[in-house]
């Protein structure tokens, strides 16, 4: 028995939906249905699947003024018509509640969170792309709906789940990264580890300026010393140095990526040594220049593994990697995707196969 109500109009919207498979892009084509639930008087109301559509909200909802908002990014896979398959959905449920706690928002029962994602993936299964690297991107999120301009934590919220048949996040095979030495995304004691819109808003100016200089993303350094690598906004980072993988150790200003954690386990299972430690930007530059750093890549739910072709500075200095899509990035990408897409054994028990429920 499902805990989620299914509105008959949502089923009608699903039946009448058609999709232009050649133009799905990333996050722009929306599935015809969504899940909504409201939090009032200290408890969650029923979750309901309804047709996808606009919301009517008071302009005084606190989210518009004080940004009390959190979200998750997940994918359902159906390559070779397997599944639908979900990847580690309870990890997203846990992180959602960690973000909720930081942003003074109510938590959602983990089983209910996962059930809401399962219901969306199962009902949208015909809109899940079947080519490798493509998927149904699922976006659970929650925001403050209390109507009041006073600055205090809201007591009314809306939880929603959207889905978007999606292709690659980046249009190129590899990306270039500007080392961000001026702006800061997050700081100790801040919200960097929470998946909240404000962290992404804080990144936009730097990314806009980096794009104007020809880069794809910015590499955030720690706010105190402007020296230690953190993350790339929406993605974590790995570098291959002397044949071993290095990624910044978690701090409270880095988002704890589920893809990052999965890659650490996968790489170790291949016999690759992985270091989670402080990474100094000047040391990394020297390692690129002396050839000991041979590969670097970004990873995240949306980005999967995207190789980094090189880094650069705002003054025009460039540090090119030897390999723009090296063998380790390629092996890990293939290994991860083939587990996620159900094309190989899943020794880690990461996959939830919705066809077997
Ligand atoms: C994700 O990978 O799910 C994210 O939230 C990142 C965003 C850039 C789409």
């Amino acid at each position: 028995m499902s805990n989620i109500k299914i509105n008959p109009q949502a089923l009608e919207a699903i039946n009448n939906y058609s999709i232009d498979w050649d133009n799905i892009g990333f996050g722009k084509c929306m599935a015809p249905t969504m899940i909504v639930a409201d939090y009032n008087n200290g408890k969650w109301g029923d979750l309901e699947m309804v047709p996808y559509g606009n919301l009517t909200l008071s302009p005084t909802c606190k989210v518009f003024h004080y940004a009390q908002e959190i979200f998750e990014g997940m994918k359902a896979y159906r390559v070779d018509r397997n599944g639908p398959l979900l990847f580690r959905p309870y990890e997203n449920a846990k992180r959602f509640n960690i973000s909720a706690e930081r942003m003074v928002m109510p938590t959602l029962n983990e089983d209910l969170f996962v059930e809401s994602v399962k219901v969306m993936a199962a009902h949208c299964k015909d809109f899940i792309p079947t080519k490798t690297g493509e998927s149904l991107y699922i976006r659970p999120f929650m925001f403050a709906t209390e109507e009041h301009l006073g600055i205090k934590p809201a007591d009314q919220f809306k939880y929603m789940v959207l889905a978007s048949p999606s292709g690659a996040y980046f249009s190129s095979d590899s990306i270039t990264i500007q080392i961000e030495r001026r702006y800061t995304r997050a700081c100790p004691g801040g919200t960097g580890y929470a998946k909240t819109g404000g962290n992404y808003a804080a990144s936009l100016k730097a990314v806009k300026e980096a794009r104007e200089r020809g880069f794809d993303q910015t590499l955030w350094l720690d706010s105190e010393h402007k020296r230690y690598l953190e993350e790339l906004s929406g993605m974590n980072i790995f570098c291959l140095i002397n044949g071993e993988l290095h990624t910044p150790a978690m701090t409270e200003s880095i988002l704890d990526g589920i893809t990052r954690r999965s890659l650490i386990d996968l790489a170790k299972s291949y016999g690759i040594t992985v270091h989670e430690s402080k990474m100094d930007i000047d040391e990394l530059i020297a390692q690129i220049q002396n050839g000991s750093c041979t590969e670097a890549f970004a990873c995240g739910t949306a980005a999967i593994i995207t190789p980094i072709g090189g880094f650069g500075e705002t003054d025009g200095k460039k540090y090119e990697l030897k390999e723009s899509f090296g063998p380790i990035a390629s092996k890990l990408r293939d290994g991860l995707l083939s587990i996620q897409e159900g094309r190989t054994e899943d020794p880690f028990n990461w996959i939830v196969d919705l066809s077997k429920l």
Side-chain angles (χ1 to χ4, degrees):
M1 219 345 236
S2 170
N3 290 306
I4 298 179
K5 286 188 183 167
I6 309 293
N7 180 314
Q9 285 174 350
L11 299 178
E12 210 176 300
I14 290 168
N15 286 336
N16 294 334
Y17 188 68
S18 67
I19 192 163
D20 176 5
W21 287 109
D22 294 329
N23 283 306
I24 53 174
F26 179 86
K28 61 177 188 170
C29 161
M30 299 312 298
T33 182
M34 60 190 192
I35 285 180
V36 285
D38 288 305
Y39 182 89
N40 279 311
N41 301 320
K43 59 178 190 334
W44 284 106
D46 288 340
L47 275 69
E48 186 176 13
M49 195 176 83
V50 298
Y52 175 82
N54 293 347
L55 303 175
T56 302
L57 293 167
S58 159
T60 62
C61 281
K62 280 186 190 286
V63 65
F64 298 134
H65 306 274
Y66 310 122
Q68 230 185 333
E69 186 270 355
I70 59 169
F71 67 96
E72 275 302 317
M74 315 172 61
K75 285 176 168 174
Y77 304 87
R78 227 184 148 209
V79 173
D80 299 336
R81 308 212 166 263
N82 287 326
L85 308 176
L86 294 177
F87 184 69
R88 311 188 75 181
Y90 277 93
E91 296 303 309
N92 294 89
K94 287 193 187 99
R95 192 172 64 184
F96 192 71
N97 285 337
I98 289 172
S99 302
E101 193 277 330
R102 178 62 181 85
M103 299 304 291
V104 203
M105 298 169 83
T107 54
L108 190 67
N109 174 287
E110 286 178 15
D111 290 325
L112 198 55
F113 175 99
V114 171
E115 194 179 343
S116 68
V117 171
K118 284 182 180 170
V119 163
M120 279 296 278
H123 281 88
C124 295
K125 74 177 181 352
D126 292 337
F127 319 130
I128 307 182
T130 52
K131 281 193 216 144
T132 184
E134 300 189 343
S135 56
L136 184 74
Y137 185 75
I138 302 179
R139 174 53 66 87
F141 63 114
M142 191 210 305
F143 55 92
T145 50
E146 187 190 337
E147 300 171 9
H148 185 238
L149 293 183
I151 304 185
K152 69 168 190 56
D155 58 15
Q156 290 172 357
F157 297 89
K158 198 178 275 293
Y159 170 71
M160 299 186 64
V161 186
L162 306 177
S164 170
S166 288
Y169 185 70
F170 290 107
S171 49
S172 56
D173 288 342
S174 75
I175 54 174
T176 55
I177 305 293
Q178 180 198 288
I179 300 164
E180 182 52 63
R181 301 207 187 246
R182 170 163 152 56
Y183 299 112
T184 291
R185 166 190 172 273
C187 60
T191 59
Y193 68 92
K195 207 160 170 64
T196 180
N199 294 333
Y200 298 80
S203 76
L204 297 178
K205 186 167 164 60
V207 177
K208 176 176 177 285
E209 291 178 11
R211 291 219 169 108
E212 285 161 3
R213 296 187 189 101
F215 296 98
D216 298 293
Q217 286 288 313
T218 50
L219 168 61
W220 298 105
L221 302 177
D222 76 291
S223 62
E224 241 174 315
H225 313 92
K226 285 276 175 2
R227 180 169 166 194
Y228 299 109
L229 276 66
E230 297 218 310
E231 59 155 271
L232 304 170
S233 294
M235 281 149 265
N236 295 106
I237 182 167
F238 282 84
C239 299
L240 189 76
I241 302 165
N242 295 322
E244 299 184 346
L245 274 178
H246 293 251
T247 190
M250 273 303 130
T251 67
E252 63 182 3
S253 45
I254 300 178
L255 188 88
D256 182 9
I258 296 161
T259 310
R260 173 190 176 278
R261 270 192 266 133
S262 306
L263 286 176
I264 292 172
D265 292 345
L266 189 64
K268 286 183 179 166
S269 78
Y270 293 158
I272 301 169
T273 303
V274 185
H275 304 269
E276 293 179 76
S277 53
K278 274 192 168 178
M279 293 177 70
D280 184 315
I281 188 61
D282 293 329
E283 271 174 36
L284 179 66
I285 292 170
Q287 285 157 336
I288 295 173
Q289 288 175 325
N290 70 23
S292 49
C293 175
T294 47
E295 294 184 42
F297 56 86
C299 70
T301 300
I304 315 175
I305 286 186
T306 305
I308 295 172
F311 297 84
E313 311 272 5
T314 51
D315 65 6
K317 283 198 199 86
K318 295 262 159 56
Y319 319 111
E320 306 286 340
L321 266 310
K322 264 198 190 139
E323 315 242 23
S324 70
F325 200 162
I328 297 298
S330 169
K331 184 179 165 88
L332 288 170
R333 186 183 153 95
D334 287 350
L336 180 71
L337 265 182
S338 53
I339 294 175
Q340 290 175 325
E341 295 175 348
R343 293 184 280 108
T344 189
E345 282 301 297
D346 167 21
F348 304 97
N349 250 325
W350 283 337
I351 295 301
V352 174
D353 186 345
L354 301 186
S355 70
K356 299 209 173 114
L357 298 179

